[in-house]
Amino acid sequence: MTELLNRRLNLLLSVLLFAVGASSLVVSALSKDEENFLMTFRYMTMNGTTFTTLTALILSIVCAAELRTGRSILRRQLYYFRLCAAVTECIIAAVILLSFFPFVPDDPDLLTYDSFCMHIILPLLTIVSFLLNPSPAESVHPLKRLSCAWLITLYAAVVTVLILTGAIPQDKIPYSFMDFGSHPLSYSICIGCFVYSFAYILSVWLTDGNRRLSRLWTQ
C-alpha cells in the first residue's frame, strides 16, 4: 500500500464523515423549531457530532491539498483532533448502547435518520478514519493521550454550570447521572471517573491500533 493510496482513502473517509455529520445535523435542525434545536446541544451527541463534522471538513481540505502538493500538511496537529473525535464518538455510542439496559433510566431513540447517524454510523466511520490515518513517527506520550478528553471536559463543565444555575431546567437535564438533585455527588463522581478511564483506555487502543496499521502504508 502506498502513501498516495492512504491519502486518497483518507480524503474519501473525510468527505464521507462530513457528509454524514452535516446531513444528520441538518435533518435534526429541520425536524425542530429554533428553540428546541438549540436545546438539543445539551446532549453530548450534538456537540460531538458538530466537532467531528468540522474536523472532517478541515481534514477534507487538508487531504485534498496533500494530494495536490504531494507533501504532508498539519499531520501532527490534526492527529490529536482526530483522536479526540474518535474517542468522543466511541463514548457517545457507548452511552446510547448502555441506555438499552433496564437499570439505566435514559430512553434511547435510534429510529430516526439523524439519531442513527449520530449514534452508530458516525462513530464507526470516525474510528475507521482514525485507525487508517498516518501515525506520528514517535510514540504517543501517555499524558498526551489525555488530550482525547478535552471536549468531554468542556462539555461537562458547561452543562454542569447550566444545570446548577437553572439555565437547563430539571426536566431537560440531558443524562440521569447529571441530575445532581436526585443522586448523591459520589454517584456523579463515580460516573465521571468511569468515563475518563474509559476515554483513556480507548485512546490507548486507538493509538496502538493506528500505529500497527500505519506500517502497511510504509511497506
Side-chain angles (χ1 to χ4, degrees), residues 84-95 97 123 126-127 198 202 206:
C84 180
V87 170
T88 300
E89 292 295 341
C90 283
I91 291 176
I92 288 172
V95 168
L97 291 176
T126 308
I127 293 169
F198 185 47
L202 285 171
L206 288 168

Side-chain angles (χ1 to χ4, degrees), residues 38-186:
L38 289 176
M39 281 299 293
T40 61
F41 282 89
R42 70 189 189 276
Y43 291 105
M44 184 64 214
T45 299
M46 292 297 294
N47 296 276
T49 299
T50 302
F51 176 77
T52 300
T53 302
L54 291 175
T55 301
L57 175 60
I58 295 171
L59 285 171
S60 299
I61 296 171
V62 170
C63 288
E66 287 185 340
L67 281 172
R68 184 179 179 85
T69 62
R71 59 189 180 86
S72 299
I73 303 172
L74 298 175
R75 181 167 295 180
R76 179 74 177 160
Q77 294 87 338
L78 287 174
Y79 182 85
Y80 291 104
F81 275 89
R82 300 179 82 163
L83 176 61
C84 180
V87 170
T88 300
E89 292 295 341
C90 283
I91 291 176
I92 288 172
V95 168
I96 198 68
L97 291 176
L98 284 173
S99 297
F100 285 98
F101 286 93
F103 55 81
V104 179
D106 299 318
D107 184 22
D109 178 17
L110 295 177
L111 300 181
T112 60
Y113 173 82
D114 53 333
S115 182
F116 187 75
C117 285
M118 291 178 184
H119 294 109
I120 304 296
I121 302 300
L122 207 59
L124 290 175
L125 284 176
T126 308
I127 293 169
V128 171
S129 175
F130 178 81
L131 289 175
L132 295 180
N133 92 94
S135 175
E138 67 278 6
S139 60
V140 180
H141 192 279
L143 289 179
K144 287 191 175 181
R145 297 182 196 271
L146 291 174
S147 64
C148 68
W150 71 263
L151 184 62
I152 299 168
T153 302
L154 179 62
Y155 164 81
V158 172
V159 172
T160 296
V161 170
L162 293 177
I163 291 174
L164 294 177
T165 58
I168 295 180
Q170 183 76 16
D171 61 336
K172 297 292 185 180
I173 292 176
Y175 303 105
S176 57
F177 58 84
M178 300 189 83
D179 187 355
F180 307 114
S182 302
H183 302 289
L185 182 59
S186 58

